[in-house]
Amino acid sequence: MKIKKLLVANRSEIALRIMRSAREMGIETVAVFSEADCNAPFVRFADEAVHIGASSPSDSYLRIDKVIDAALLVQADAIHPGYGFLSENADFADAVNGAGMIFIGPSAESIKIMGDKLAAKRAVSKYNVPLVPGTTEAIIDREEARKVADSIGYPVLIKASAGGGGKGMRVVQSADEINEQMDRAVSEAKSAFGNGSVFIEKYITSPKHIEVQVLGDQHGNRIHLSERDCSIQRRHQKVIEEAPSAVLKEDLRKRIGETALLVAKSCRYYNAGTVEFIVNEKLDFYFLEMNTRLQVEHPVTEMITGIDLVKEQIKIAQGQVLELNQDDIIISGHSIEIRVYAEDPSNNFLPNVGKLNSYKLPLGPGVRVDDGFEEGMEIPINYDPMIAKLITHGCDRSEAIERMKRAISEYEITGVKTTLPFAAFAVSHEEFVSGRFNTHFIENYFSPSLLNEKMDHDELVISSLVAALHYDKTKPSNDVSGSSTSKSKWKQRLTDS
Ligand code: ADP
């Protein structure tokens, strides 16, 4: 069935990104929005918009009933859940289908299996997919936990079965820590996910996080779109991603891709999904989990394959046969994404929401920004403080890195502190440039003082330039905007004078 009107059950950059592809396909778009988002660009972009409640996600974006009512009100024939919020909620997928609309995603059944890490492990183990050594059953009891951990060998990782977003994970270095960490993990899992079941697996000490993008139609055809390396993480959450991985050779790329397809097959997966692996120093890979939705970092795959993943999702949901074969997937160049957060990297990445006093995007060759904000807007405190995703594409990795550095220096954001200085530090670091980095990059190489030292230096330069400008009678003094990105202009003026 051809979709004519699509409701996007999400907000900010991802809502906008999905609507853009829908519009290119001639599909009408509908936004749902909370109080805090009433003026947001994604609401104004949509052909229609429905207010669904107060700012708190539990009053709006997480309300299945309100989203379904809004869709029925505007007579939408499909709903795209984006990522986060209701995107991996099997009840929501069921409710959308039950109301006679198309859910842009996999079946509720696939969501259920892959939403439970233990169920996922059990499903894929029938297909000889390599798993991190550990349990495939839930553990609650301390004694049993100790036995299992002893047999696996320390360090081990306790994980919440219903986990997500890096929450509910505890590293146990030795037997004398197991009781305490077990208690913490169970209580964290209960409070975060309402389900205290945990499991234990070997803790891989210096891993890379590599994930494979898969696409499947409802007729049993599946392909993969190669991998992304998402090893630059903070508290098990990705902050910089790239495609392809700098360390995978063709043979390994093929094997990991084929394994991802087995994972998809194990739950009869269709639509777009991501199979995550953890890769040790010897490049042995193990299945971690499958995310049954569009991923935040999907643009890097789009940049290297030239495939619009949202359009593919919509076509698949309409029941179309996948037009692409595995051989059609050709990797072209290299792409990097940084997540730009309203957080202060010099102060433990503390959220720094407020008003975007100035907001100017980087432009030029190979630069893409997926964002949901405009100059003068307030960043609401109710949601994740991500402002944008800055993505670059180059003919090879080094061009993508140089473009990223250039784009970061062009990106002008004032009024809130952002993670841009951290990203500039990271992509310039020799460990990142070498491609060898693992998930401990930030703890191993980053310290806020590195930014502070740099800032102190910049501040010194700025104050001397301000002093110089003070004597420049030809220009009005209000040229000194206080914007750190105006620095280069001041330098120019100094050389001129
Ligand atoms: P979540 O669903 O909370 O995102 P994942 O299982 O996807 O949890 O893991 C998130 C991150 O935690 C991984 O990318 C990796 O950095 C780390 N991690 C997970 N499992 C292991 C492990 N067995 N050993 C070492 N690190 C791990």
Side-chain angles (χ1 to χ4, degrees):
M1 189 200 107
K2 172 102 181 67
I3 294 169
K4 293 190 205 70
K5 195 186 262 194
L6 173 68
L7 181 142
V8 181
N10 216 299
R11 61 180 297 278
S12 202
E13 69 89 15
I14 195 62
L16 204 49
R17 188 262 162 275
I18 292 163
M19 288 180 202
R20 286 190 163 124
S21 289
R23 183 159 294 169
E24 288 174 23
M25 295 172 85
I27 297 172
E28 278 183 74
T29 56
V30 184
V32 287
F33 64 98
S34 71
E35 203 67 45
D37 283 333
C38 58
N39 243 332
F42 77 93
V43 177
R44 283 183 278 121
F45 184 93
D47 297 307
E48 281 175 83
V50 185
H51 178 226
I52 53 164
S55 304
S56 158
S58 55
D59 291 327
S60 47
Y61 299 109
L62 287 172
R63 285 283 297 268
I64 295 180
D65 55 341
K66 290 191 176 189
V67 173
I68 300 280
D69 283 351
L72 292 173
L73 178 78
V74 298
Q75 294 182 317
D77 39 32
I79 298 185
H80 194 306
Y83 55 70
F85 297 126
L86 296 170
S87 62
E88 287 175 292
N89 184 320
D91 292 340
F92 181 56
D94 270 339
V96 175
N97 294 326
M101 291 174 283
I102 296 174
F103 177 75
I104 313 263
S107 67
E109 187 58 25
S110 303
I111 298 177
K112 258 187 224 143
I113 297 172
M114 291 298 158
D116 176 334
K117 289 184 203 278
L118 283 174
K121 282 190 184 227
R122 286 194 290 271
V124 306
S125 61
K126 296 181 194 123
Y127 288 81
N128 285 329
V129 170
L131 298 173
V132 184
T135 50
T136 47
E137 299 299 329
I139 300 179
I140 300 266
D141 181 70
R142 282 172 162 192
E143 267 320 294
E144 205 193 334
R146 176 189 289 271
K147 269 192 224 141
V148 169
D150 285 348
S151 72
I152 296 171
Y154 296 90
V156 296
L157 188 62
I158 309 177
K159 278 185 174 180
S161 180
K167 289 199 201 93
M169 265 188 241
R170 291 265 149 199
V171 181
V172 188
Q173 296 292 353
S174 61
D176 50 339
E177 288 176 7
I178 188 98
N179 286 348
E180 186 196 339
Q181 299 294 21
M182 198 47 203
D183 292 349
R184 283 198 193 181
V186 170
S187 88
E188 243 173 61
K190 266 192 202 143
S191 67
F193 312 108
N195 171 358
S197 64
V198 297
F199 62 98
I200 300 183
E201 62 186 30
K202 178 82 189 160
Y203 180 66
I204 315 271
T205 42
S206 302
K208 266 187 170 293
H209 171 116
I210 301 229
E211 59 184 36
V212 178
Q213 177 70 55
V214 297
L215 276 181
D217 64 20
Q218 298 181 43
H219 312 279
N221 304 301
R222 291 185 196 95
I223 57 167
H224 69 83
L225 279 72
S226 97
E227 80 287 353
R228 298 183 282 258
D229 185 329
C230 312
S231 305
I232 308 283
Q233 302 183 348
R234 199 178 152 265
R235 297 197 178 143
H236 307 299
Q237 291 259 57
K238 302 157 193 171
V239 287
I240 300 181
E241 303 97 345
E242 64 180 304
S245 162
V247 295
L248 254 57
K249 300 269 182 305
E250 255 336 290
D251 162 56
L252 187 53
R253 171 165 296 125
K254 192 160 177 280
R255 276 194 294 131
I256 207 165
E258 282 165 2
T259 308
L261 291 178
L262 288 177
V263 172
K265 190 173 176 188
S266 77
C267 64
R268 294 175 295 283
Y269 199 84
Y270 55 77
N271 215 284
T274 294
V275 182
E276 298 189 335
F277 296 94
I278 193 139
V279 182
N280 69 14
E281 282 165 307
K282 290 190 284 178
L283 297 180
D284 302 318
F285 60 88
Y286 304 98
F287 170 68
L288 265 187
E289 64 165 346
M290 179 167 193
N291 290 326
T292 54
R293 55 171 163 83
L294 191 66
Q295 205 92 332
V296 176
E297 58 274 19
H298 75 277
V300 290
T301 300
E302 296 187 321
M303 301 303 268
I304 62 158
T305 59
I307 293 165
D308 182 323
L309 286 168
V310 172
K311 285 186 187 162
E312 292 304 317
Q313 286 193 292
I314 293 174
K315 287 193 270 179
I316 291 164
Q318 289 179 161
Q320 284 175 238
V321 174
L322 212 55
E323 289 156 339
L324 299 156
N325 293 314
Q326 193 61 58
D327 293 345
D328 297 327
I329 308 303
I330 294 159
I331 297 175
S332 163
H334 200 96
S335 181
I336 301 174
E337 170 182 288
I338 61 159
R339 301 190 188 189
V340 185
Y341 283 99
E343 289 176 347
D344 182 359
S346 63
N347 188 10
N348 207 19
F349 294 86
L350 227 63
N352 198 269
V353 294
K355 187 174 172 186
L356 292 170
N357 288 338
S358 65
Y359 185 74
K360 307 247 171 347
L361 295 182
L363 295 167
V367 177
R368 163 175 169 180
V369 181
D370 282 17
D371 69 355
F373 289 92
E374 280 167 4
E375 194 163 279
M377 267 179 76
E378 290 277 341
I379 299 170
I381 53 164
N382 316 80
Y383 315 105
D384 176 273
M386 190 168 79
I387 302 171
K389 302 179 316 204
L390 170 59
I391 304 121
T392 58
H393 181 247
C395 65
D396 55 20
R397 190 165 185 269
S398 99
E399 187 174 57
I401 292 176
E402 290 309 318
R403 284 206 162 131
M404 183 56 81
K405 290 193 218 162
R406 189 262 299 166
I408 292 172
S409 73
E410 273 183 40
Y411 209 155
E412 178 180 323
I413 304 178
T414 65
V416 297
K417 297 228 165 84
T418 76
T419 49
L420 282 172
F422 163 75
F425 158 84
V427 299
S428 307
H429 195 280
E430 62 176 19
E431 187 74 3
F432 181 80
V433 173
S434 75
R436 284 188 307 263
F437 57 88
N438 59 43
T439 58
H440 303 297
F441 175 85
I442 295 183
E443 62 211 66
N444 287 348
Y445 300 106
F446 178 68
S447 92
S449 63
L450 293 168
L451 296 181
N452 288 335
E453 274 162 29
K454 188 171 180 307
M455 263 183 243
D456 288 348
H457 168 76
D458 286 354
E459 273 159 18
L460 275 178
V461 174
I462 290 166
S463 50
S464 58
L465 291 168
V466 171
L469 276 170
H470 190 67
Y471 290 102
D472 183 349
K473 301 276 187 282
T474 61
K475 297 280 192 300
S477 61
N478 65 3
D479 258 9
V480 185
S481 64
S483 144
S484 58
T485 41
S486 312
K487 275 174 295 184
S488 56
K489 289 175 208 144
W490 297 346
K491 280 178 195 155
Q492 179 68 49
R493 300 252 302 251
L494 194 66
T495 12
D496 287 351
S497 58

